[in-house]
mmCIF file of all heavy atoms in Angstrom:
data_model
loop_
_atom_site.group_PDB
_atom_site.id
_atom_site.type_symbol
_atom_site.label_atom_id
_atom_site.label_comp_id
_atom_site.label_asym_id
_atom_site.label_seq_id
_atom_site.Cartn_x
_atom_site.Cartn_y
_atom_site.Cartn_z
ATOM 1 N N GLY T 11 97.172 147.444 89.732
ATOM 2 C CA GLY T 11 98.648 146.941 89.798
ATOM 3 C C GLY T 11 98.605 145.846 90.815
ATOM 4 O O GLY T 11 98.006 145.919 91.979
ATOM 5 N N ASP T 12 99.165 144.654 90.495
ATOM 6 C CA ASP T 12 99.289 143.536 91.423
ATOM 7 C C ASP T 12 100.088 143.920 92.557
ATOM 8 O O ASP T 12 100.977 144.834 92.466
ATOM 9 C CB ASP T 12 99.616 142.203 90.740
ATOM 10 C CG ASP T 12 100.978 142.302 90.141
ATOM 11 O OD1 ASP T 12 101.423 143.497 89.746
ATOM 12 O OD2 ASP T 12 101.828 141.373 90.130
ATOM 13 N N ARG T 72 94.032 146.915 84.532
ATOM 14 C CA ARG T 72 93.522 148.258 84.599
ATOM 15 C C ARG T 72 92.266 148.363 83.657
ATOM 16 O O ARG T 72 92.408 147.819 82.529
ATOM 17 C CB ARG T 72 94.561 149.273 84.291
ATOM 18 C CG ARG T 72 95.829 149.010 85.123
ATOM 19 C CD ARG T 72 96.577 150.421 85.266
ATOM 20 N NE ARG T 72 97.888 150.092 85.981
ATOM 21 C CZ ARG T 72 97.928 150.160 87.302
ATOM 22 N NH1 ARG T 72 96.805 150.365 88.069
ATOM 23 N NH2 ARG T 72 99.102 149.971 87.863
ATOM 24 N N THR T 126 98.041 147.304 97.202
ATOM 25 C CA THR T 126 98.839 148.267 96.372
ATOM 26 C C THR T 126 100.263 148.427 97.033
ATOM 27 O O THR T 126 100.277 148.564 98.136
ATOM 28 C CB THR T 126 98.261 149.584 95.984
ATOM 29 O OG1 THR T 126 99.287 150.411 95.513
ATOM 30 C CG2 THR T 126 97.749 150.262 97.221
ATOM 31 N N ILE T 127 101.232 148.341 96.206
ATOM 32 C CA ILE T 127 102.610 148.610 96.836
ATOM 33 C C ILE T 127 102.839 149.981 97.217
ATOM 34 O O ILE T 127 103.740 150.356 97.958
ATOM 35 C CB ILE T 127 103.734 148.199 95.863
ATOM 36 C CG1 ILE T 127 103.777 148.928 94.557
ATOM 37 C CG2 ILE T 127 103.738 146.698 95.565
ATOM 38 C CD1 ILE T 127 105.107 148.922 93.794
ATOM 39 N N ASP T 128 101.926 150.885 96.711
ATOM 40 C CA ASP T 128 102.115 152.397 96.959
ATOM 41 C C ASP T 128 101.910 152.938 98.282
ATOM 42 O O ASP T 128 102.263 154.047 98.655
ATOM 43 C CB ASP T 128 101.341 153.218 95.872
ATOM 44 C CG ASP T 128 101.695 152.915 94.385
ATOM 45 O OD1 ASP T 128 102.720 152.326 94.252
ATOM 46 O OD2 ASP T 128 100.919 153.106 93.608
ATOM 47 N N ASP T 130 99.123 154.308 99.271
ATOM 48 C CA ASP T 130 98.625 155.638 99.024
ATOM 49 C C ASP T 130 97.174 155.763 99.370
ATOM 50 O O ASP T 130 96.451 156.619 98.818
ATOM 51 C CB ASP T 130 98.919 156.145 97.617
ATOM 52 C CG ASP T 130 98.385 155.250 96.593
ATOM 53 O OD1 ASP T 130 97.995 154.134 96.899
ATOM 54 O OD2 ASP T 130 98.300 155.727 95.374
ATOM 55 N N MET T 170 108.968 153.150 92.545
ATOM 56 C CA MET T 170 107.585 153.465 92.136
ATOM 57 C C MET T 170 106.900 154.217 93.250
ATOM 58 O O MET T 170 107.501 154.621 94.229
ATOM 59 C CB MET T 170 106.867 152.133 91.966
ATOM 60 C CG MET T 170 107.203 151.519 90.498
ATOM 61 S SD MET T 170 106.267 150.058 90.269
ATOM 62 C CE MET T 170 106.451 149.795 88.541
ATOM 63 N N GLY T 171 105.578 154.394 93.111
ATOM 64 C CA GLY T 171 104.743 155.060 94.061
ATOM 65 C C GLY T 171 103.697 155.929 93.370
ATOM 66 O O GLY T 171 102.956 156.692 94.123
ATOM 67 N N ARG T 172 103.768 156.070 92.105
ATOM 68 C CA ARG T 172 102.921 156.904 91.361
ATOM 69 C C ARG T 172 103.009 158.360 91.935
ATOM 70 O O ARG T 172 104.163 158.832 91.863
ATOM 71 C CB ARG T 172 101.403 156.526 91.484
ATOM 72 C CG ARG T 172 100.561 156.970 90.334
ATOM 73 C CD ARG T 172 99.192 156.455 90.479
ATOM 74 N NE ARG T 172 99.055 154.955 90.130
ATOM 75 C CZ ARG T 172 98.799 154.525 88.977
ATOM 76 N NH1 ARG T 172 98.790 155.271 87.837
ATOM 77 N NH2 ARG T 172 98.838 153.191 88.748
ATOM 78 N N ASP T 173 102.027 159.049 92.409
ATOM 79 C CA ASP T 173 102.164 160.427 92.893
ATOM 80 C C ASP T 173 102.324 160.426 94.450
ATOM 81 O O ASP T 173 102.164 161.462 94.970
ATOM 82 C CB ASP T 173 100.980 161.276 92.481
ATOM 83 C CG ASP T 173 99.665 160.668 92.952
ATOM 84 O OD1 ASP T 173 99.654 159.718 93.576
ATOM 85 O OD2 ASP T 173 98.665 161.312 92.684
ATOM 86 N N LEU T 177 106.919 154.862 99.368
ATOM 87 C CA LEU T 177 108.065 153.926 99.109
ATOM 88 C C LEU T 177 109.368 154.648 99.124
ATOM 89 O O LEU T 177 110.251 154.113 99.691
ATOM 90 C CB LEU T 177 107.778 153.250 97.714
ATOM 91 C CG LEU T 177 106.728 152.268 97.707
ATOM 92 C CD1 LEU T 177 106.446 151.834 96.243
ATOM 93 C CD2 LEU T 177 107.144 150.946 98.521
ATOM 94 N N GLU T 222 109.141 158.185 91.542
ATOM 95 C CA GLU T 222 108.817 158.350 90.154
ATOM 96 C C GLU T 222 107.928 159.564 89.883
ATOM 97 O O GLU T 222 107.969 160.118 88.788
ATOM 98 C CB GLU T 222 108.134 157.113 89.616
ATOM 99 C CG GLU T 222 106.796 156.712 90.210
ATOM 100 C CD GLU T 222 106.162 155.499 89.599
ATOM 101 O OE1 GLU T 222 106.701 155.023 88.578
ATOM 102 O OE2 GLU T 222 105.112 155.138 90.100
ATOM 103 N N HIS T 252 109.396 147.288 87.616
ATOM 104 C CA HIS T 252 108.371 146.326 88.058
ATOM 105 C C HIS T 252 108.892 145.271 88.971
ATOM 106 O O HIS T 252 108.087 144.479 89.545
ATOM 107 C CB HIS T 252 107.636 145.698 86.840
ATOM 108 C CG HIS T 252 106.697 146.657 86.272
ATOM 109 N ND1 HIS T 252 107.030 147.672 85.369
ATOM 110 C CD2 HIS T 252 105.302 146.920 86.390
ATOM 111 C CE1 HIS T 252 106.020 148.502 85.064
ATOM 112 N NE2 HIS T 252 104.914 148.001 85.564
ATOM 113 N N ARG T 255 107.128 145.129 92.240
ATOM 114 C CA ARG T 255 105.761 144.522 92.382
ATOM 115 C C ARG T 255 105.728 143.002 92.519
ATOM 116 O O ARG T 255 104.742 142.510 93.011
ATOM 117 C CB ARG T 255 104.971 144.930 91.068
ATOM 118 C CG ARG T 255 104.529 146.342 91.083
ATOM 119 C CD ARG T 255 103.096 146.558 90.979
ATOM 120 N NE ARG T 255 102.518 145.953 89.813
ATOM 121 C CZ ARG T 255 102.224 146.678 88.755
ATOM 122 N NH1 ARG T 255 102.383 147.973 88.736
ATOM 123 N NH2 ARG T 255 101.760 146.107 87.615
HETATM 124 O O1 LIG Z 1 100.016 151.346 91.650
HETATM 125 C C1 LIG Z 1 101.100 150.552 91.523
HETATM 126 C C2 LIG Z 1 102.103 150.939 90.499
HETATM 127 O O2 LIG Z 1 103.098 149.967 90.570
HETATM 128 C C3 LIG Z 1 102.740 152.348 90.745
HETATM 129 O O3 LIG Z 1 103.684 152.438 91.603
HETATM 130 C C4 LIG Z 1 103.061 152.610 89.228
HETATM 131 O O4 LIG Z 1 103.229 154.065 88.979
HETATM 132 C C5 LIG Z 1 102.122 151.894 88.376
HETATM 133 O O5 LIG Z 1 101.548 150.930 89.291
HETATM 134 C C6 LIG Z 1 102.731 151.227 87.206
HETATM 135 O O6 LIG Z 1 101.582 150.683 86.518
HETATM 136 P P1 LIG Z 1 101.659 149.792 85.235
HETATM 137 O O7 LIG Z 1 102.088 148.472 85.806
HETATM 138 O O8 LIG Z 1 100.279 149.683 84.771
HETATM 139 O O9 LIG Z 1 102.684 150.300 84.293
#
Side-chain angles (χ1 to χ4, degrees):
D12 61 330
R72 304 208 184 271
T126 166
I127 62 164
D128 299 341
D130 59 347
M170 281 187 166
R172 205 178 287 274
D173 55 1
L177 282 173
E222 64 175 354
H252 286 79
R255 286 237 296 261

